[in-house]
Amino acid sequence: MDEFVGRCKIGRKFSVGKSVNGVEFFGVEVSDKPGVEEAEPYYKYIGNMHGNEVSGRMLLPMLAEWLCANNGKDARATRMVRDMHLFLIPTMNPDGFDARQRENAHGADLNRNFPDPVLDRGSDLRKATAATEPEVAQIMDFILSRTWSASANLHEGSVVVNYPYDGYTSPGRSGTAHLTPDDATFKFLARTYADKNPLMAASREFPGGITNGAQWYDIYGGMQDWNYVVAGCMEVTLEVSAEKFVPASGLKAIWDQNRDSLIAMPLAAALGGVRGRVTAAGSGAPLAATLAVKSSDANSDAPVPFYASKNFGFFARPLVPGTHTLVVAVDGYATAEADVTVPTDGSGVVKNFVLKPLK
Ligand SMILES: [Zn+2]
């Protein structure tokens, strides 16, 4: 990683934190201005939260290398580097990797350790508790330090894209889907990935290579639902290999299967939906607004909010092509609402909001 950021000026290394055994783990931010906050969409990939699922820690550095080699040559790479910030964290469980085990050094499954919107209902889900593992608490802090469009975390054990919800509103059910109010957009994101992965696209177990999390098997304390509900970040879970602890010899095949998907997903999620800024009328000051996509379905659950950045009032949200209604709220300002039409060509739509202060 040091070698990469030394050689490639579009990369900046950052520390996420330390594992139970004191192993520091890192990420790379890829952008034309890495380390400088901009009014651009943020997207992240996190790998190896299960120590024995290693594809992510190999694929994410390969993606960084691909961007470095193709920036200015390939339109996708150029756009990703120029118009957004991509955060790559190859491992969040270095101790599990060292021990060749799923769990961290405390024996905890990190994908069951996040504050859970269902099990921990009523408590502040942004805060780690005594039960939160250090790797999870540090990833939570990292995620909450920015506003994100979307993300994915990489696993092994199957070949499918899994989208929220992972849990039911009351545990104990099984086999039925628990869909979010953003279901059409989640399916669109999942298909964006799966359509370009030949194994997923041809899946017999999962039509189209995608599945609702709870419908497959429900989990609680997962990173995916926490990202969506708490951080306002539309996360999906990528299962990229049926075999766990893929040997180095299998890496090339997995890269070939996933490369175009790993490239397509951030572009579609961060730049293909809606993005814009929220500012105050008169002063033009940026507003850290709370936004939501209103559902046209009266029976749907309440919209799940997402957020504009404090420093720029910037927001970016994936949206399936079509017309949607956005609602924007800030304390002390009149709430605003607007329709946006997202085109099918992946270019996204820009919508800025100027909010009037309440008297
Ligand atoms: Zn896993």
Side-chain angles (χ1 to χ4, degrees):
M1 213 178 261
D2 290 316
E3 188 276 326
F4 174 79
V5 298
R7 167 168 49 85
C8 196
K9 296 307 170 201
I10 59 169
R12 174 190 70 99
K13 180 181 170 182
F14 61 92
S15 175
V16 180
K18 279 187 178 165
S19 68
V20 169
N21 286 343
V23 178
E24 193 167 13
F25 57 111
F26 300 93
V28 171
E29 176 186 359
V30 177
S31 170
D32 57 349
K33 289 182 189 156
V36 178
E37 186 181 350
E38 296 186 274
E40 291 185 355
Y42 284 66
Y43 180 98
K44 63 185 158 67
Y45 279 125
I46 295 181
N48 194 218
M49 71 188 297
H50 290 144
N52 60 340
E53 298 169 21
V54 298
S55 295
R57 51 184 294 146
M58 304 188 287
L59 289 176
L60 298 183
M62 292 175 85
L63 177 60
E65 289 289 356
W66 182 87
L67 286 163
C68 186
N70 289 285
N71 180 36
K73 296 175 192 157
D74 179 288
R76 297 168 298 172
T78 306
R79 189 163 176 238
M80 218 184 295
V81 170
R82 185 189 59 211
D83 294 343
M84 57 183 286
H85 289 244
L86 180 69
F87 284 70
L88 308 172
I89 299 177
T91 180
M92 70 172 275
N93 185 4
D95 297 346
F97 175 75
D98 287 343
R100 300 178 73 93
Q101 68 183 27
R102 177 181 178 91
E103 300 81 7
N104 74 349
H106 284 155
D109 184 334
L110 301 182
N111 207 27
R112 305 290 187 279
N113 191 250
F114 282 75
D116 188 82
V118 173
L119 301 186
D120 303 311
R121 197 168 0 215
S123 58
D124 183 355
L125 301 173
R126 298 169 62 90
K127 295 240 158 43
T129 69
T132 309
E133 293 297 323
E135 294 89 348
V136 169
Q138 291 161 142
I139 283 283
M140 286 168 59
D141 285 347
F142 161 74
I143 293 170
L144 293 174
S145 70
R146 290 175 178 78
T147 55
W148 302 92
S149 58
S151 58
N153 69 89
L154 288 90
H155 292 255
E156 294 163 9
S158 189
V159 180
V160 67
V161 182
N162 170 330
Y163 57 88
Y165 291 111
D166 267 336
Y168 295 110
T169 44
S170 48
R173 306 173 59 191
S174 70
T176 56
H178 181 206
L179 305 180
T180 72
D182 295 297
D183 189 58
T185 294
F186 268 123
K187 284 195 172 80
F188 171 74
L189 283 182
R191 286 204 188 101
T192 296
Y193 196 95
D195 284 354
K196 290 191 170 1
N197 178 310
L199 295 184
M200 290 178 181
S203 174
R204 291 189 180 180
E205 185 180 3
F206 303 102
I210 69 174
T211 185
N212 173 256
Q215 180 152 29
W216 188 18
Y217 60 93
D218 57 325
I219 72 163
Y220 301 88
M223 184 157 72
Q224 173 173 278
D225 286 2
W226 185 86
N227 262 288
Y228 174 55
V229 174
V230 182
C233 172
M234 294 185 74
E235 171 147 302
V236 300
T237 300
L238 309 174
E239 301 277 352
V240 298
S241 163
E243 181 191 7
K244 297 198 183 195
F245 230 107
V246 176
S249 60
L251 179 58
K252 173 77 167 64
I254 293 192
W255 169 247
D256 288 344
Q257 286 152 18
N258 287 278
R259 184 195 60 201
D260 288 348
S261 301
L262 288 167
I263 296 164
M265 177 90 156
L267 289 171
L271 295 166
V274 63
R275 59 193 187 276
R277 294 180 70 173
V278 184
T279 54
S283 72
L287 296 174
T290 300
L291 300 98
V293 180
K294 235 174 146 175
S295 177
S296 52
D297 176 0
N299 297 319
S300 175
D301 293 339
V304 173
F306 58 101
Y307 306 98
S309 67
K310 192 168 54 138
N311 292 333
F312 290 98
F314 182 82
F315 67 90
R317 183 76 160 179
L319 277 177
V320 63
T323 299
H324 306 266
T325 305
L326 291 187
V327 187
V328 186
V330 180
D331 278 350
Y333 291 82
T335 296
E337 209 175 288
D339 286 350
V340 294
T341 298
V342 176
T344 55
D345 66 0
S347 60
V349 58
V350 174
K351 177 67 195 169
N352 297 314
F353 290 89
V354 179
L355 301 192
K356 293 197 179 80
L358 295 171
K359 295 292 173 207

